DNA sequence: TCTGGGGTCCTGTGCCGC
DNA sequence: TCTGGCGGCACAGGACCC
């Protein structure tokens, strides 16, 4: 059996742990730049704030109901997530941390356990030790555990936030109850396509002929379908090594000037290089992209990306920056209002075990230099930059409603008088 | 005026060499 | 020598997840 444990309204719950006056009140947490609502309390959901709601469109609703609005505080959430995951792994050794607020567990050798009461116990310990409420779904496959989790979350009074799908009857009944987009891996587009052929809920999807699913959708959907039938196709994934690393940002104001774009892209490529070095990886490929504002239909639209294969795998800020700038020059078009840009590095290899190039000579002085730069920047805050980065200008995210870093910054720790 | 960021995986297309 | 078929690869784009 698999279990999925999910933290309820995770970001909002983290904020409430340290600010209990928010309990029972509508609260939302915003994305970077305070753009959209990405976590909502149950009260805010009831008032009609959808997931991803652009906050400027909901200003009046927010004012009318006195909804508390907070900027996202990632150091806090990451720390709280670590605490929750540590507790989970004490209960079950086979765990896969799927995201900041979710983990899959595998019950192997638990045949003599009463899974329901074991899960209840786990839930209450997490709540007591961290203050974070969770929901747990248990089923024979990961996809069904997702469904079970939704039931646990949706019907807290009947389920006590723990639900087990252990019989065919329960499975069929649940699948009939849930829509297509409630299935893990079926999004908006696929739901619409499936509805067009008269497939209206998860059970209908499960009953589609497998050959049709394979030919018209993809191997992914076929696997999901088999999982819904109870055949386990997806196992726990062990610690994942990242396959790509990205730094992308939306701009506060549109940018059309190439020089300004280059300055931003430089910063992104440096950030990617730092992330690479932190995980001891080298990149073989760098991708640069820019795009205009999709939401402004009245303006000229343009988006383009450039994939560049590097001469040798590297994590040198200089080399990555050099190719990123080459990329942006290639795809840049004038007279466009750009809203977003980003740098992605991929085809990653470990830095102690990679294919050398016969023809390209890399500068071996870069490695110790990067190490020194990282050291200085870590110790003294980003002091060392490249010359083409604007040294005076600070590109700062908009975070007007940021809560303190209660658990990760000594000056922010709560004091009790 | 104001709409996130960081990931994974799959598919279609065009090119190349066998 | 020419040509069609096919697999492999790179790349762009799309769909999904949180």
């Amino acid at each position: 059996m698999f279990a999925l444990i999910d933290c309820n309204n995770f970001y909002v719950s983290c904020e409430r742990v340290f600010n209990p006056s928010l309990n029972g009140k509508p609260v939302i947490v915003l994305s970077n730049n305070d753009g959209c609502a990405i976590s909502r309390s149950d009260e805010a959901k009831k008032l009609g704030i959808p997931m991803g709601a652009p906050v400027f469109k909901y200003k009046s609703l927010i004012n009318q109901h006195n909804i508390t609005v907070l900027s996202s505080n990632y150091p806090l959430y990451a720390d709280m997530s670590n605490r929750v995951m540590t507790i989970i792994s004490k209960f079950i050794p086979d765990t896969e941390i799927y995201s900041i607020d979710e983990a899959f567990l595998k019950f192997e050798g638990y045949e003599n356990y009463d899974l329901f009461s074991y899960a209840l116990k786990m839930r209450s310990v997490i709540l007591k030790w961290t203050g974070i409420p969770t929901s747990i779904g248990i089923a024979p496959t990961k996809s069904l555990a997702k469904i079970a989790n939704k039931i646990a979350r949706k019907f807290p009074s009947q389920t006590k936030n723990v639900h087990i799908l252990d019989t065919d009857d329960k499975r069929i009944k649940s699948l009939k109850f849930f829509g297509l987009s409630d299935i893990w891996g079926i999004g908006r587009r696929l739901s619409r396509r499936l509805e067009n052929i008269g497939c209206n809920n998860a059970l209908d999807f499960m009953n589609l002929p497998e050959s049709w699913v394979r030919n018209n959708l993809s191997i992914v959907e076929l696997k999901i379908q088999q999982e819904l039938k109870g055949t386990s196709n997806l196992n726990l994934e062990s610690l994942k090594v990242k396959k790509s690393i990205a730094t992308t940002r939306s701009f506060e104001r549109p940018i059309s000037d190439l020089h300004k774009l280059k300055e931003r892209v430089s910063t992104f490529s440096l950030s990617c290089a730092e992330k690479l070095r932190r995980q001891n990886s080298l990149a073989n490929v760098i991708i640069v992209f820019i795009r205009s504002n999709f939401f402004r239909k009245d303006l000229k639209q343009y988006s383009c990306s450039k994939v560049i294969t590097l001469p040798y795998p590297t994590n040198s800020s200089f080399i990555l920056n050099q190719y990123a700038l080459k990329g942006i020059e290639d795809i840049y078009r004038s007279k466009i209002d750009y809203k977003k840009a980003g740098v992605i590095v991929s085809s990653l290899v470990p830095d102690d075990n990679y294919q050398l190039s016969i023809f390209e000579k890399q500068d071996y002085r870069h490695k110790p230099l990067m190490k020194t730069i990282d050291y200085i920047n870590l110790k003294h805050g980003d002091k060392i930059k490249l010359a083409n980065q604007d040294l005076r200008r600070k590109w700062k995210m908009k975070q007007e409603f940021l809560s303190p870093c209660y658990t990760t910054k000594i000056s922010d720790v709560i004091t009790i008088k």
Side-chain angles (χ1 to χ4, degrees):
Chain A
M1 293 290 259
F2 289 90
L4 176 71
I5 177 155
D6 185 299
C7 302
N8 302 347
N9 313 332
F10 183 55
Y11 297 171
V12 168
S13 296
C14 290
E15 299 287 348
R16 280 175 166 173
V17 170
F18 296 93
N19 186 356
S21 69
L22 300 175
N23 287 334
K25 292 183 185 154
V27 182
I28 57 173
V29 174
L30 306 183
S31 61
N32 282 353
N33 275 325
D34 292 345
C36 315
I38 53 166
S39 179
R40 305 155 294 148
S41 69
D42 289 347
E43 298 78 10
K45 286 178 192 171
K46 268 187 205 133
L47 289 172
I49 306 267
M51 184 60 174
V55 82
F56 73 91
K57 280 192 178 173
Y58 287 84
K59 269 230 161 93
S60 63
L61 194 69
I62 289 168
N63 290 336
Q64 188 189 338
H65 295 284
N66 208 12
I67 299 176
T68 304
V69 177
L70 295 164
S71 303
S72 34
N73 183 345
Y74 286 103
L76 175 67
Y77 311 149
D79 183 61
M80 293 304 284
S81 172
N82 274 332
R83 294 173 191 223
V84 171
M85 298 306 170
T86 307
I87 298 169
I88 293 173
S89 62
K90 287 205 168 107
F91 275 84
I92 319 269
D94 286 336
T95 61
E96 172 195 341
I97 297 173
Y98 178 67
S99 73
I100 194 163
D101 73 329
E102 270 178 65
F104 281 106
L105 322 172
K106 195 170 180 183
F107 289 104
E108 225 166 28
Y110 284 74
E111 288 75 16
N112 296 324
Y113 275 65
D114 173 3
L115 292 184
F116 184 75
S117 45
Y118 197 65
L120 272 184
K121 169 92 182 140
M122 182 159 62
R123 185 182 183 279
S124 74
V125 169
I126 295 169
L127 185 63
K128 190 168 178 188
W129 291 4
T130 66
I132 301 289
T134 52
S135 302
I136 304 177
I138 302 173
T141 71
K142 283 170 100 175
S143 302
L144 288 169
K146 273 266 180 190
I147 297 272
N149 181 282
K150 284 193 185 234
I151 297 171
R153 177 79 182 86
K154 213 177 167 82
F155 304 105
S157 51
Q158 292 97 313
T159 63
K160 299 185 187 164
N161 284 104
V162 174
H163 189 66
I164 306 187
L165 283 181
D166 50 359
T167 66
D168 277 348
D169 275 358
K170 283 194 200 171
R171 181 172 60 91
I172 301 290
K173 207 175 144 196
S174 325
L175 292 178
K176 212 171 183 173
F177 177 78
F178 282 107
L180 293 166
S181 52
D182 289 313
I183 307 171
W184 185 39
I186 306 283
R188 271 209 330 264
R189 297 283 178 114
L190 280 173
S191 298
R192 216 176 305 148
R193 267 179 72 187
L194 289 165
E195 274 158 18
N196 284 341
I197 61 154
C199 178
N200 292 311
N201 57 39
L203 185 64
D204 291 347
F205 173 71
M206 189 196 82
N207 286 328
L208 286 174
E210 288 189 4
S211 56
W212 186 92
V213 173
R214 179 64 191 98
N215 294 332
N216 293 275
L217 306 177
S218 83
I219 186 81
V220 180
E221 285 72 34
L222 182 64
K223 280 189 182 170
I224 295 169
Q225 194 194 25
Q226 288 168 347
E227 283 247 317
L228 295 182
K229 289 180 182 171
T231 311
S232 175
N233 251 322
L234 308 167
N235 214 329
L236 288 196
E237 288 184 25
S238 47
L239 200 65
K240 285 172 238 166
V241 179
K242 272 189 201 148
K243 296 181 176 173
S244 67
I245 286 175
T247 301
T248 69
R249 288 288 179 281
S250 297
F251 310 137
E252 214 178 320
R253 274 172 237 288
I255 297 180
S256 15
D257 177 61
L258 178 59
H259 278 93
K260 283 190 183 142
L261 278 176
K262 282 168 88 172
E263 196 275 325
R264 298 267 53 211
V265 163
S266 266
T267 307
F268 300 157
S269 65
L270 258 60
S271 153
C272 285
E274 272 176 31
K275 290 180 191 172
L276 278 171
R277 296 198 289 269
R278 225 176 292 148
Q279 66 157 47
N280 301 317
S281 294
L282 306 172
N284 279 295
V285 168
I286 183 165
I287 304 157
V288 185
F289 75 85
I290 41 176
R291 68 163 186 239
S292 52
N293 189 347
F294 288 157
F295 298 100
R296 293 292 301 270
K297 304 284 183 222
D298 52 322
L299 298 177
K300 199 169 164 195
Q301 296 288 314
Y302 174 63
S303 89
C304 195
S305 66
K306 174 97 182 172
V307 180
I308 301 166
T309 304
L310 299 162
Y312 48 84
T314 183
N315 60 20
S316 157
S317 297
F318 301 138
I319 306 294
L320 290 169
N321 181 53
Q322 180 189 327
Y323 281 91
L325 290 179
K326 221 165 107 67
I328 186 85
E329 278 170 16
D330 283 354
I331 57 179
Y332 173 80
R333 276 202 215 158
S334 58
K335 293 178 189 152
I336 303 280
D337 283 338
Y338 294 99
K339 177 64 184 167
K340 185 171 178 167
V343 172
I344 303 163
V345 286
S346 65
S347 293
L348 308 187
V349 290
D351 67 357
D352 57 354
N353 178 13
Y354 63 94
Q355 182 67 51
L356 297 165
S357 166
I358 302 178
F359 304 110
E360 301 289 344
K361 283 254 181 312
Q362 50 179 307
D363 189 337
Y364 289 98
R365 294 173 301 177
H366 283 198
K367 198 173 173 181
L369 179 58
M370 290 303 131
K371 211 173 159 185
T372 310
I373 292 178
D374 287 341
Y375 176 75
I376 294 172
N377 279 343
L378 184 71
K379 198 162 178 197
H380 301 285
D382 292 325
K383 293 282 181 209
I384 300 187
K385 297 189 173 185
L386 288 188
N388 68 330
Q389 288 183 275
D390 190 329
L391 302 181
R392 286 154 305 167
R393 170 94 206 232
K394 271 244 186 260
W395 297 93
K396 231 179 144 287
M397 253 187 324
K398 201 168 137 195
Q399 284 185 311
E400 288 179 8
F401 319 104
L402 188 61
S403 56
C405 291
Y406 300 105
T407 63
T408 53
K409 208 165 155 187
I410 194 74
S411 56
D412 288 357
V413 170
I414 291 177
T415 52
I416 300 168
K417 289 172 187 161

